[in-house]
Amino acid sequence: MSVLVYTESEEGKFKKTAFEVASYAKGVADMMGTTVTAVSFNAKDTSELAQYGVNKVLKIDNDKLSKFNAEAYADALKQATEKEGAKVVVLGQTANDKYLAPLLAVHLGAGYASNVVELPANTDPLQVKRTAFTNKAFSITQISTDVKIVGLSKNAFGLKENPVELSEEEFSPSLASEDFKVNVVSVDKAADKVTIADAEIVVSGGRGLKGPENWGMIEDLAETLGAATACSKPVSDMGWRPHSEHVGQTGKPVAANLYIAVGISGAIQHLAGINASKTKVVINNDPEAPFFKAAEYGVVGDAFEIVPKLTEKLKEFKANNA
Amino acid sequence: MKILVCISHVPDTTSKINFSEGDTKFDTNGVQFVINPNDEFGLTRAMWFKEKQGATVDVVNVGGPETEPTLRKALAIGADTAIRVDTPATDGIYVAKQLAKVVQDGNYDLVIAGRESIDYNGGMVPGMIAALIGANFVNTCINLEVEGNEATVIREIDGGKETLKASLPLVIGGQKGIVQESDLRIPNMRGIMQARKKPLNVIQPVETNPETEAVKFEKPAPKGNIKMIDSDNLDELINLLHNEAKVI
Ligand SMILES: Cc1cc2nc3c(=O)[nH]c(=O)nc-3n(C[C@H](O)[C@H](O)[C@H](O)COP(=O)(O)OP(=O)(O)OC[C@H]3O[C@@H](n4cnc5c(N)ncnc54)[C@H](O)[C@@H]3O)c2cc1C
Ligand SMILES: Nc1ncnc2c1ncn2[C@@H]1O[C@H](COP(=O)(O)O)[C@@H](O)[C@H]1O
């Protein structure tokens, strides 16, 4: 009857999202008067899960699962759900979560709510609040199936420490050859760069920066903050920056703690995609730019003067607060 | 190769979103509808397969008669036949089951849907179709090639991309990248005229139940006032981010 949670790891180490979904699962389990069971895939050390309220971990160690494979992971999670008799399955909304969740939903006959942003208001019937219309609204969604899947938006719940005793159990799902029909032949991933998906802070540049040659100061600011870099749609359409940096309604969603927008006007399509970020700072030389209505902090002025100055001051601040 | 492109009929990206009937219904008053942007990228890629590899391309929507102008637009862009499953799109699994039936009845080799619709943002319909019919599935697709029975797909992952191989039948969750923005086509007069004569078949839904229900909608709380910081006083900004917002 426990709440089951999929804890994502990479090269044997849990991602931060694993601890956030575990924290959330603990909240749901408390509401339902039950415990939390995590499923880990080739994680080396699972003990940290105890900090976030996980009572038991089903530990899968299987070389065939060393690389993410949506079908095989969904199959393993299905078997874990059935073994535990779990009625609620919690996962995150990373690219991998979003890939496997609909497969798992069909295999389990479970209703699935994605982009969930809060603990359920009720667990019987289960009602969750999720974003809809690309952050322009919320929808209170009720799931009516016996088993339910909740996809928690990144940074919506945060980490909640809740130390408990953790027990570990080896788990060997039986995998079929059908699980391995889609195969990865190569991966291309910049190892040293903070990604928009993982970043706590995102520094984003728009057409106001005039050209790709001016992105050095955006990268410096981002590096100082340990942030990822992003851009508005026209900037990627013109080839100033790679498409993978395009954020907004038709690009990547951003749910960072801090989003710094430099030379971006704040068009509705841009705002829709980044609105889920907690704190937004706008730097723009036009005091009438619509972005100022959607942000927490604003500085009116020339980005070419402000950004390097801000970076210098942040370096000082970091040095003094280290 | 027989391709089916799933077309979601969504409010234009500039739309202000409002609700009616005690915040239980999306208020379509004055809202312009368009082809879901992710689906338009997919449709454009399908046109390439049609022109370069002789594929046939059908488009499908699950929805009421009000979605027909959107399907006609897809025909004007170049699709051969449109199908409308005549029932409201109640939730992800309900739509997926309708589409799975269309895929099976039509023996499609390749199904191109979008990574997500910009209205419901479910991000679930393509994966569910694949699971329902036992087809292969690749999500967040940014490049798609097909040779014979074998597809090579590039998928966007967090922080990079990976290349995958899978055989047909295959379902794709597509997005920008599968074609570029500059590849998108605005239907010309000839396309629009031809679209009027192309078949738009209305079919009856299969009986099945939704599993989720949007019981109420809410709008985000209006934002508090922005704090403006003088450009000569950036220390104050750092102070606020550290002590007030607590984000650095
Ligand atoms: C279907 C559709 C989907 C879309 N999806 C997206 C999306 O997902 N993401 C997205 O971003 N856009 C999207 N757009 C585009 C969107 O409508 C805007 O055109 C775009 O966001 C504008 O980008 P921008 O703010 O960089 O450029 P602009 O609107 O040109 O703004 C540039 C800003 O820079 C400021 N500026 C100029 N010089 C300086 C300076 N020296 N210092 C400081 N500030 C300066 C200007 O005051 C201005 O506010 C979409 C549009 C459509 C039609
Ligand atoms: N009512 C519908 N009719 C046809 N296709 C749909 C419908 N709803 C969703 N889709 C397809 O599924 C994709 C993902 O939608 P969603 O799961 O709602 O985010 C869309 O981009 C479409 O390709």
Side-chain angles (χ1 to χ4, degrees), chain A residues 206-208 210 232-234 246-251 263-265 267 269-270 284-286 289 301-304, chain B residues 13:
Chain A
R207 196 148 54 183
K210 313 282 190 279
S232 68
K233 178 169 176 285
H246 160 200
V247 296
Q249 190 167 11
T250 54
I264 301 177
S265 58
Q269 297 99 343
H270 186 86
N284 196 305
N285 63 2
D286 173 10
D302 183 2
F304 294 91
Chain B
T13 55

Side-chain angles (χ1 to χ4, degrees), chain B residues 2-164:
Chain B
K2 283 192 77 178
I3 304 177
L4 183 69
V5 183
C6 304
I7 302 280
S8 183
H9 159 90
V10 299
D12 169 59
T13 55
T14 56
S15 304
K16 296 263 187 307
I17 303 299
N18 291 304
F19 301 99
S20 59
E21 297 178 39
D23 286 337
T24 59
K25 290 266 166 342
F26 172 52
D27 184 356
T28 57
N29 243 320
V31 173
Q32 278 270 2
F33 282 84
V34 294
I35 299 177
N36 185 45
N38 290 319
D39 306 347
E40 194 175 348
F41 290 114
L43 175 62
T44 309
R45 186 63 189 161
M47 287 299 107
W48 186 92
F49 287 116
K50 177 176 158 147
E51 284 153 20
K52 297 285 189 313
Q53 299 187 349
T56 62
V57 178
D58 297 345
V59 290
V60 61
N61 172 262
V62 179
E66 71 281 1
T67 73
E68 290 193 1
T70 300
L71 283 173
R72 287 274 175 222
K73 183 172 175 209
L75 291 172
I77 289 171
D80 300 305
T81 302
I83 302 162
R84 179 169 69 80
V85 185
D86 187 23
T87 182
T90 328
D91 79 337
I93 190 73
Y94 180 84
V95 169
K97 284 185 177 166
Q98 305 303 332
L99 294 170
K101 176 79 169 32
V102 173
V103 176
Q104 278 174 325
D105 290 352
N107 269 313
Y108 291 97
D109 306 296
L110 177 64
V111 179
I112 303 181
R115 165 194 81 183
E116 119 181 331
S117 58
I118 63 166
D119 55 353
Y120 188 68
N121 303 125
M124 61 180 78
V125 168
M128 285 174 163
I129 299 171
L132 288 166
I133 63 173
N136 291 328
F137 171 52
V138 180
N139 205 16
T140 52
C141 166
I142 51 171
N143 196 67
L144 173 63
E145 310 278 349
V146 181
E147 281 303 327
N149 197 38
E150 181 82 4
T152 306
V153 192
I154 301 182
R155 167 174 94 99
E156 187 170 73
I157 56 177
D158 293 336
K161 52 194 175 183
E162 63 185 20
T163 305
L164 305 107

Side-chain angles (χ1 to χ4, degrees), chain A residues 136-159:
Chain A
K136 292 178 188 170
F138 297 103
S139 136
I140 309 298
T141 295
Q142 182 165 321
I143 312 180
S144 55
T145 43
D146 182 36
V147 180
K148 302 156 183 81
I149 303 178
V150 176
L152 178 69
S153 283
K154 188 195 144 199
N155 271 342
F157 192 70
L159 302 182

Side-chain angles (χ1 to χ4, degrees), chain A residues 184-213:
Chain A
V184 176
V185 290
S186 66
V187 180
D188 175 4
K189 195 170 166 176
D192 54 340
K193 220 173 160 255
V194 189
T195 69
I196 294 173
D198 291 337
E200 301 291 328
I201 303 179
V202 173
V203 180
S204 190
R207 196 148 54 183
L209 292 175
K210 313 282 190 279
E213 66 281 7

Side-chain angles (χ1 to χ4, degrees), chain A residues 47-63:
Chain A
S47 61
E48 209 177 338
L49 293 174
Q51 285 306 110
Y52 302 98
V54 175
N55 305 86
K56 172 169 144 187
V57 54
L58 296 176
K59 200 165 181 289
I60 301 177
D61 282 299
N62 185 333
D63 283 346

